[in-house]
Amino acid sequence: MLHGLVTAADVQDRDGGGLLLSTLFGRFPFLRKLFADSAYTGPIFQASAAQAMRGLLVEIIKRSDHAKGFVVEPKRWIVERSIAWLNRCRRLAKDWENRNHSALAFLRLASIRLMLRKLCNPS
């Protein structure tokens, strides 16, 4: 995880995504492409992404209309797998935190834990 933002539950994905991109402030100038699911479709997120990072290309990964049941979507499984790994941390499995800052701190700690595991056990 490069960057995170914890919002209230009533903030929609596309609005939260725009907020997240606006908080980057040029921290990751090497980012060229952003893969997003269909919740980020539309002019609201596109405009906020273009305003936050000029050279960022947003590619929407949509589910196939012909697919029935579980189908592995290209690029989307990477995000889903990462979220599943983070949810294995007991502190992140439920909404225990009262403050957004605490929730973000535990999310960062869980992400650091995952990175350290990958570095120590490369296989």
Side-chain angles (χ1 to χ4, degrees), residues 61-110:
I61 307 296
K62 294 185 179 180
R63 182 176 162 85
S64 173
D65 295 334
H66 306 292
K68 291 186 179 182
F70 176 75
V71 177
V72 177
E73 301 292 331
K75 303 295 182 194
R76 189 171 174 171
W77 69 271
I78 298 169
V79 175
E80 298 296 334
R81 176 194 64 190
S82 301
I83 291 171
W85 285 343
L86 288 172
N87 280 332
R88 291 180 68 190
C89 297
R90 291 181 61 200
R91 191 75 185 233
L92 299 178
K94 300 286 181 189
D95 297 326
W96 298 107
E97 305 306 322
N98 291 328
R99 300 184 160 268
N100 290 352
H101 298 293
S102 301
L104 184 58
F106 283 109
L107 180 63
R108 287 182 178 152
L109 285 172

Side-chain angles (χ1 to χ4, degrees), residues 1-2 8 22 28 58 61 63 72 79 90 111 118:
M1 181 179 84
L2 293 176
S22 68
F28 306 106
V58 178
I61 307 296
R63 182 176 162 85
V72 177
V79 175
R90 291 181 61 200
S111 180
K118 294 295 177 189

Side-chain angles (χ1 to χ4, degrees), residues 21 74 82 107 112 114:
L21 289 177
S82 301
L107 180 63
I112 290 169
L114 286 173

Side-chain angles (χ1 to χ4, degrees), residues 30-79:
F30 54 85
L31 291 179
R32 298 286 180 242
K33 187 181 271 193
L34 173 70
F35 295 105
D37 65 4
S38 59
Y40 299 94
T41 305
I44 296 172
F45 181 72
Q46 294 289 340
S48 61
Q51 183 180 5
M53 298 181 75
R54 301 249 185 259
L56 187 67
L57 174 67
V58 178
E59 184 177 329
I60 305 296
I61 307 296
K62 294 185 179 180
R63 182 176 162 85
S64 173
D65 295 334
H66 306 292
K68 291 186 179 182
F70 176 75
V71 177
V72 177
E73 301 292 331
K75 303 295 182 194
R76 189 171 174 171
W77 69 271
I78 298 169
V79 175

